[in-house]
Amino acid sequence: QVQLVESGGGLVQPGGSLRLSCAASGAISSTNVMGWYRQRAGKGRDMVASFSNSGSVGYAGSVKGRVTISRDSAGTMLFLQMSSLNPEDTAIYYCNARTSAGSFWGQGTQVTVSS
């Protein structure tokens, strides 16, 4: 199993920036892809950005150019740098790890973009 703990959420003004962190532990060597998802109020959970073991990254169209996903060399930390935030980015952001044993989620961190 993989344990994930997100941090870095909070209240930010429109146009501001935020960096989310995800600490991974457990069977991280079996992780194939890690990513960030978000769930807005009353909506489903959508992919924001992904980072595969091959180093390839992917971004949702709605955030492309405004966010950067990165991971440390040990694979124990996943980051999401977000800029030019707008109220539509308000959501709970979740860290995800996909392994051969399944998909694992953190508890989420709230991001609120408001003036």
Side-chain angles (χ1 to χ4, degrees):
Q1 289 200 350
V2 177
Q3 293 79 43
L4 303 167
V5 179
E6 302 96 336
S7 61
L11 174 64
V12 61
Q13 291 188 341
S17 300
L18 212 56
R19 188 193 196 208
L20 305 182
S21 300
C22 171
S25 60
I28 55 176
S29 61
S30 63
T31 299
N32 299 315
V33 180
M34 292 188 73
W36 287 96
Y37 288 69
R38 68 184 181 186
Q39 187 164 16
R40 301 173 201 172
K43 305 287 186 181
R45 196 172 294 189
D46 299 318
M47 191 275 287
V48 176
S50 64
F51 193 112
S52 74
N53 276 359
S54 67
S56 63
V57 299
Y59 297 99
S62 59
V63 301
K64 204 167 188 178
R66 299 190 297 118
V67 307
T68 302
I69 189 171
S70 61
R71 192 176 70 179
D72 72 337
S73 57
T76 60
M77 294 294 299
L78 186 73
F79 305 99
L80 187 70
Q81 179 68 48
M82 303 187 292
S83 60
S84 301
L85 288 163
N86 60 67
E88 289 70 42
D89 296 313
T90 295
I92 300 174
Y93 284 71
Y94 295 92
C95 181
N96 172 264
R98 295 209 299 267
T99 76
S100 56
S103 183
F104 300 92
W105 297 91
Q107 83 289 350
T109 185
Q110 175 71 47
V111 172
T112 302
V113 184
S114 175
S115 55

